[in-house]
Amino acid sequence: QVQLVESGGGLVQAGGSLRLACTASGSTLSVNPIGWYRQAPGEQRVMVATITVRGRVNYSDFAEGRFTISRDSARNTVYLQMNSLKSEDTAVYYCNAKSISTLTYGDDYWGKGTLVTVSS
């Protein structure tokens, strides 16, 4: 099992920045990749950015150039640095990890989410 806990959400003005953190515990060697998704009320949950154990990153079009995903492996923590925030970025941001264990390969682990509100 893997537990994911997000932090860093809050209220920020348009154009500002926030850094989200996701700290993983449990069987952290059994997941790949780890990343961030977001969901606004009444909207679909969509991928924001992911990072693999080898450091390969993937960004959604709306995130590339503004957001940066990184990890501190020693602390089992993945970060999402969000710059130039827009009102459209307002959403609950969820940490996600995919299992690579044989019995649960591809299953999703989710954090409870952290709310990001961008005011204009």
Side-chain angles (χ1 to χ4, degrees):
Q1 287 287 100
V2 175
Q3 295 79 45
L4 305 171
V5 179
E6 304 97 333
S7 62
L11 175 65
V12 65
Q13 287 192 259
S17 299
L18 282 175
R19 188 180 73 161
L20 308 182
C22 170
T23 299
S25 60
S27 301
T28 57
L29 298 180
S30 299
V31 294
N32 187 37
I34 300 177
W36 292 92
Y37 290 66
R38 73 184 191 187
Q39 187 171 25
E43 303 283 342
Q44 292 262 77
R45 188 174 299 186
V46 298
M47 188 271 287
V48 178
T50 61
I51 185 167
T52 72
V53 296
R54 297 183 181 182
R56 185 170 62 190
V57 299
N58 187 33
Y59 294 100
S60 294
D61 288 343
F62 63 78
E64 191 153 16
R66 297 190 298 132
F67 297 178
T68 303
I69 189 169
S70 62
R71 71 172 186 266
D72 183 343
S73 297
R75 300 177 65 184
N76 290 322
T77 300
V78 174
Y79 300 95
L80 184 69
Q81 178 68 46
M82 304 187 294
N83 298 326
S84 302
L85 284 163
K86 308 172 182 178
S87 60
E88 308 96 273
D89 297 317
T90 295
V92 177
Y93 285 71
Y94 296 91
C95 188
N96 169 270
K98 292 191 179 294
S99 174
I100 56 172
S101 296
T102 55
L103 291 179
T104 57
Y105 191 88
D107 287 358
D108 288 293
Y109 297 97
W110 294 98
K112 293 183 178 180
T114 185
L115 177 63
V116 172
T117 303
V118 184
S119 65
S120 59

